[in-house]
Amino acid sequence: MAAIGVHLGCTSACVAVYKDGRAGVVANDAGDRVTPAVVAYSANEEIVGLAAKQNRIRNISNTVMKVKQILGRSQKFGPWTWLLSNYP
């Protein structure tokens, strides 16, 4: 029997597989076992993970990050007000 576990953290995500009595964390295309939870959009593509995180300064208006921190919060000032005011 095999099982898959997904961790969706505030700043990162990872996937683990349990099979044949052994567990292992799956590496992403860059070989890292943890992927930054960042998505960026451009005119013709979606960029995820480390590439999106490294490019966020040049493409801040089209970059989504820290989504878990705003889920369930009051939206009286708009969905991005809290996020942008707390950007590091």
Side-chain angles (χ1 to χ4, degrees):
M1 181 174 113
I4 297 174
V6 178
H7 168 71
L8 299 174
C10 290
T11 59
S12 61
C14 66
V15 176
V17 177
Y18 178 81
K19 185 176 180 181
D20 299 327
R22 301 183 79 188
V25 179
V26 179
N28 61 20
D29 58 349
D32 299 326
R33 296 182 186 274
V34 178
T35 301
V38 180
V39 178
Y41 299 93
S42 67
N44 55 0
E45 67 180 340
E46 295 84 27
I47 306 164
V48 298
L50 187 58
K53 183 178 178 181
Q54 292 173 337
N55 197 30
R56 72 180 182 255
I57 300 301
R58 289 178 282 195
N59 191 19
I60 191 67
S61 63
N62 295 318
T63 301
V64 180
M65 58 194 154
K66 297 186 178 182
V67 172
K68 280 184 70 175
Q69 293 180 357
I70 62 172
L71 291 176
R73 291 186 180 264
S74 172
Q75 301 297 318
K76 68 180 183 178
F77 298 112
W80 302 110
T81 304
W82 181 87
L83 179 64
L84 294 176
S85 65
N86 289 295
Y87 181 72

